[in-house]
């Protein structure tokens, strides 16, 4: 469950940190934005340690760059994962924390949260959620969490962990438990929070949980979604794509479904083309259905009608054409 290097885009990292447009290097890898020789520039700073084999930029926040360092196994020494906190201005190392392996990491609300796998001789590792000061690296607290904590989310003063036994909410400052969801909701694969509700994807569909106590507000498996062909819902249950103030974008099999976030009722649905690869994407007030062709729904509140090359605005009565030769607004 170590972080995937393929997901740690250096250009995305630089864009997030506001350093695109200048040369920067992390470890032995230098990043520049130019492609021709005349645009090549020396890095502003480099960072490297002798016992680390590869580096993967992961996150930036408040002037600090957080970099994952991976040390490969060497003889009797197992592999190690280190988090390096580096001053973005000059490349000075602020602190380092080393683990056997990391299941998850986020930097939110002035805290570095790490889910670390603890190998104590058991066949399966145990997991701990640790909270660190972002500037000093001082450990604020740590606590045991359920196995396979796939998801981390923070908000409203809580840190949420989603794993094999539902969702656990802990106080950001102390680590004390605020609430634990019903463990019967099963394995958690995606977490999102809007307003006072936490939305969860599990093997059993999509749940809406109260952020006050973790109690279930509504649950949709896919077999109970109105106006949608649910014949394959048991094999491919409803799953969350994105949660917003306007509603909940989900997918079930080859159908995109937009749900009311308060009660889970269906606002509209649309067929997906080439469903093995296509997923609905919500960007601002537009839903895009990728595939052949690419379709656009300008308003999440508009009801789908016609073929996948048509759209209906929320304030229109008839479908209007949208160019299918390119995916653009």
């Amino acid at each position: 469950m170590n972080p995937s290097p393929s997901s740690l885009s250096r250009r995305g990292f630089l864009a997030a940190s506001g350093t695109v447009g200048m040369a920067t290097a992390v470890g032995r890898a230098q990043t520049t934005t130019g492609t021709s020789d005349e645009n090549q520039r020396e890095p502003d700073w480099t960072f490297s340690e002798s016992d680390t084999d590869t580096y993967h930029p992961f996150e930036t926040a408040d002037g600090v760059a957080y970099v994952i360092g991976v040390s490969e196994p060497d003889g009797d020494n197992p592999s190690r994962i280190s988090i390096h906190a580096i001053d973005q201005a000059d490349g000075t190392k602020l602190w380092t924390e080393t683990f056997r392996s990391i299941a998850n990491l986020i930097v939110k609300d002035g805290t570095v949260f790490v889910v670390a796998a603890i190998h104590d001789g058991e066949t399966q590792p145990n997991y701990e959620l640790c909270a660190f000061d972002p500037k000093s690296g001082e450990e604020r607290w740590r606590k045991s969490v359920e196995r396979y904590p796939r998801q981390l989310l923070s908000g409203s003063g809580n840190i949420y962990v989603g794993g094999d036994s539902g969702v656990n909410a802990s106080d950001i400052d102390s680590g004390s438990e605020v609430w634990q969801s019903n463990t019967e909701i099963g394995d958690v694969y995606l977490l999102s929070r809007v307003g006072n509700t936490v939305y969860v994807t599990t093997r059993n569909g999509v749940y809406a949980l109260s952020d006050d106590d973790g109690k279930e507000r509504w649950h949709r498996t896919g077999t109970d979604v109105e106006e949608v062909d649910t014949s394959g819902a048991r094999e491919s249950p409803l799953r969350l794509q994105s949660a917003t103030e306007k509603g909940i974008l989900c997918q079930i099999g080859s159908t995109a479904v937009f749900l009311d976030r308060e009660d889970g009722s269906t606002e509209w649905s649309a067929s997906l083309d080439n469903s093995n690869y296509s997923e609905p994407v919500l960007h601002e007030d537009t839903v895009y259905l990728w595939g052949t062709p690419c379709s656009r729904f300008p308003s999440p509140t508009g009801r789908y009608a016609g073929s996948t090359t048509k759209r209906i605005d929320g304030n229109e009565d008839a479908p209007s054409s949208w160019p299918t030769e390119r995916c653009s607004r």
Side-chain angles (χ1 to χ4, degrees):
M1 299 183 68
N2 294 340
S4 168
S6 64
S7 68
L8 307 178
S9 163
R10 282 194 178 88
R11 186 166 182 83
F13 169 85
L14 295 175
S17 63
T19 57
V20 168
M22 64 177 67
T24 304
V26 179
R28 306 178 186 88
Q30 177 177 317
T31 299
T32 61
T33 58
T35 56
S36 63
D37 291 340
E38 64 183 27
N39 289 330
Q40 296 297 318
R41 297 164 60 183
E42 291 298 316
D44 292 332
W45 51 261
T46 63
F47 175 82
S48 181
E49 295 195 336
S50 59
D51 60 350
T52 301
D53 296 296
T54 58
Y55 296 86
H56 306 287
F58 192 86
E59 181 70 275
T60 63
D62 299 324
V64 179
Y66 299 92
V67 176
I68 300 292
V70 181
S71 301
E72 300 298 336
D74 181 15
D76 294 333
N77 298 318
S79 63
R80 293 177 291 108
I81 305 291
S82 297
I83 300 173
H84 304 284
I86 304 170
D87 189 305
Q88 284 184 248
D90 57 14
T92 302
K93 183 176 73 172
L94 302 177
W95 55 271
T96 295
E97 190 73 26
T98 300
F99 307 87
R100 276 288 306 277
S101 61
I102 294 174
N104 221 321
L105 163 68
I106 63 172
V107 184
K108 295 289 185 182
D109 300 313
T111 306
V112 180
F113 296 102
V114 181
V115 176
I118 308 301
H119 299 265
D120 54 5
E122 299 292 332
T123 303
Q124 299 292 336
N126 296 313
Y127 294 90
E128 290 183 334
L129 174 61
C130 313
F132 298 95
D133 183 275
K135 298 292 186 180
S136 67
E138 179 184 359
E139 182 179 307
R140 292 175 173 171
W141 53 263
R142 74 170 56 207
K143 61 180 293 185
S144 297
V145 293
E146 296 293 338
R147 288 185 172 181
Y148 305 114
R150 302 174 186 86
Q151 293 290 312
L152 272 181
L153 177 72
S154 72
S156 70
N158 294 336
I159 178 75
Y160 308 88
V161 180
D164 278 5
S165 299
V167 182
N168 180 271
S170 301
D171 181 82
I172 282 180
D173 295 325
S174 66
S176 59
E177 182 174 297
V178 177
W179 53 260
Q180 167 68 47
S181 72
N182 187 334
T183 59
E184 294 182 359
I185 72 174
D187 303 349
V188 174
Y189 294 101
L190 185 65
L191 283 176
S192 187
R193 179 181 172 275
V194 179
N196 197 38
T197 304
V198 177
Y199 299 93
V200 185
T201 291
T202 77
R203 293 181 185 273
N204 302 317
V206 176
Y207 289 81
L209 307 179
S210 169
D211 198 15
D212 293 327
D213 53 15
K215 301 296 184 183
E216 179 183 316
R217 287 183 168 166
W218 54 261
H219 171 216
R220 295 290 180 269
T221 63
T223 58
D224 54 358
V225 176
E226 303 90 342
E227 304 176 25
V228 174
D229 179 7
T230 60
S231 56
R234 296 190 183 280
E235 294 74 22
S236 179
L238 189 73
R239 67 179 187 270
L240 177 69
Q241 294 291 336
S242 183
T244 72
E245 290 284 351
K246 292 181 178 295
I248 310 301
L249 179 62
C250 301
Q251 181 175 353
I252 176 172
S254 60
T255 303
V257 183
F258 203 81
L259 304 178
D260 182 280
R261 72 181 186 88
E262 296 296 334
D263 59 13
S265 60
T266 303
E267 293 285 341
W268 58 265
S269 63
S271 297
L272 296 172
D273 182 76
N274 192 19
S275 60
N276 288 333
Y277 303 98
S278 177
E279 290 189 349
V281 177
L282 178 60
H283 177 67
E284 296 178 346
D285 286 342
T286 301
V287 175
Y288 295 91
L289 306 184
W290 304 106
T292 308
C294 175
S295 304
R296 171 192 184 232
F297 292 80
S299 172
T301 59
R303 184 172 296 277
Y304 167 79
S307 69
T308 57
T309 60
K310 300 290 186 179
R311 66 175 172 82
I312 285 187
D313 291 331
N315 58 357
E316 292 182 357
D317 296 325
S320 57
S321 298
W322 182 71
T324 60
E325 64 272 16
R326 64 170 184 261
C327 295
S328 62
R329 291 196 175 195

